[in-house]
Amino acid sequence: PNAAKCFPYSQVEAPPAQSFPVLNWSNETRALWAAAGYTGYYENHDCNVTGDANGPGRWLLTNSDTPTILRTNCQVVIQTNAQDIPLRSNVAVFAKGGVRFANSLTFRSDTSATRTLYLIQPYNDEPSPCTKDGIVLDNRVTIEDSVNVLLYSPCNIRKANNTDHFGQIYAGGVARIDNALTMYYRPLPVWGVEDPTSSVRHYTLDILYKRENYS
């Protein structure tokens, strides 16, 4: 072997990584979203689950007609059976308690226009370490391709059961994907994100080591 090109085994450094983006809830965040067109604002802190939803969940079942922020200190809960949810506008949910949807929900646009749905558990709302999943979409929660979705939580995110996802997922813990999820990346703008401490613009692939066996 060529001594000039042969080196003893050494540890290869890990590739660069980008730190988790920080999206806090604050008056400044609300103002940035309002400037981007989310002029509607609604607060609902009715945390009691009655039947198939709690207060924030029931609001989302009948969302407003203008791009709106829903702010709640609760977990947003919808667990109705076979519920069709036509979105009449773009909606951003900022939920301190996260989100839990279950039991055959279908989100779709009410027209031919594409809608945007943000399900966000703000970074400064969940104490560290996380004690439970931040966002859970379970049991045939379907979001049609007419709705782009961004899921964000500093904790775990769980999405299950034979569905498609059009958008992005940001989990500060583990993003657990069960049972044949198909994901289609779609860029969604987000306002109020703090600059990460490190960034990755691109990767360059090259051969660092080549293993050759000689008899």
Side-chain angles (χ1 to χ4, degrees), residues 149-211:
V149 185
L150 183 140
L151 308 180
Y152 174 97
S153 172
C155 302
N156 297 341
I157 293 177
R158 180 163 59 87
K159 197 172 190 303
N161 294 348
N162 294 312
T163 58
D164 295 338
H165 183 90
F166 302 87
Q168 300 174 53
I169 298 175
Y170 290 88
V174 175
R176 194 173 81 196
I177 309 300
D178 298 328
N179 299 345
L181 169 73
T182 301
M183 184 168 180
Y184 301 88
Y185 171 77
R186 290 181 179 173
L188 286 83
V190 181
W191 301 272
V193 177
E194 296 182 12
D195 290 334
T197 58
S198 61
S199 63
V200 178
R201 298 301 180 185
H202 65 276
Y203 290 96
T204 299
L205 298 180
D206 199 359
I207 297 175
L208 296 181
Y209 300 95
K210 182 177 179 181
R211 184 171 183 173

Side-chain angles (χ1 to χ4, degrees), residues 16-131:
Q18 181 171 327
S19 57
F20 187 71
V22 174
L23 178 56
N24 290 324
W25 173 255
S26 65
N27 290 334
E28 291 77 11
T29 300
R30 176 182 170 184
L32 289 171
W33 284 73
Y38 287 75
T39 54
Y41 182 75
Y42 183 74
E43 289 193 35
N44 191 312
H45 306 304
D46 176 12
C47 302
N48 295 320
V49 178
T50 303
D52 56 10
N54 62 359
R58 290 190 181 283
W59 180 91
L60 192 56
L61 289 171
T62 57
N63 68 90
S64 65
D65 293 323
T66 60
T68 299
I69 292 174
L70 167 63
R71 169 61 177 168
T72 177
N73 290 328
C74 306
Q75 182 185 56
V76 180
V77 178
I78 304 177
Q79 53 191 12
T80 185
N81 285 311
Q83 177 71 52
D84 184 67
I85 305 176
L87 294 180
R88 298 192 299 275
S89 66
N90 298 332
V91 177
V93 177
F94 286 82
K96 180 175 182 177
V99 175
R100 179 166 60 88
F101 295 159
N103 297 347
S104 298
L105 302 176
T106 300
F107 289 85
R108 61 174 177 82
S109 173
D110 70 330
T111 69
S112 59
T114 299
R115 306 297 187 197
T116 302
L117 176 63
Y118 295 86
L119 301 179
I120 298 170
Q121 182 182 32
Y123 191 90
N124 60 338
D125 270 349
E126 179 62 29
S128 180
C130 299
T131 57

Side-chain angles (χ1 to χ4, degrees), residues 7-12 209:
F7 303 92
Y9 170 78
S10 60
Q11 183 69 37
V12 179
Y209 300 95

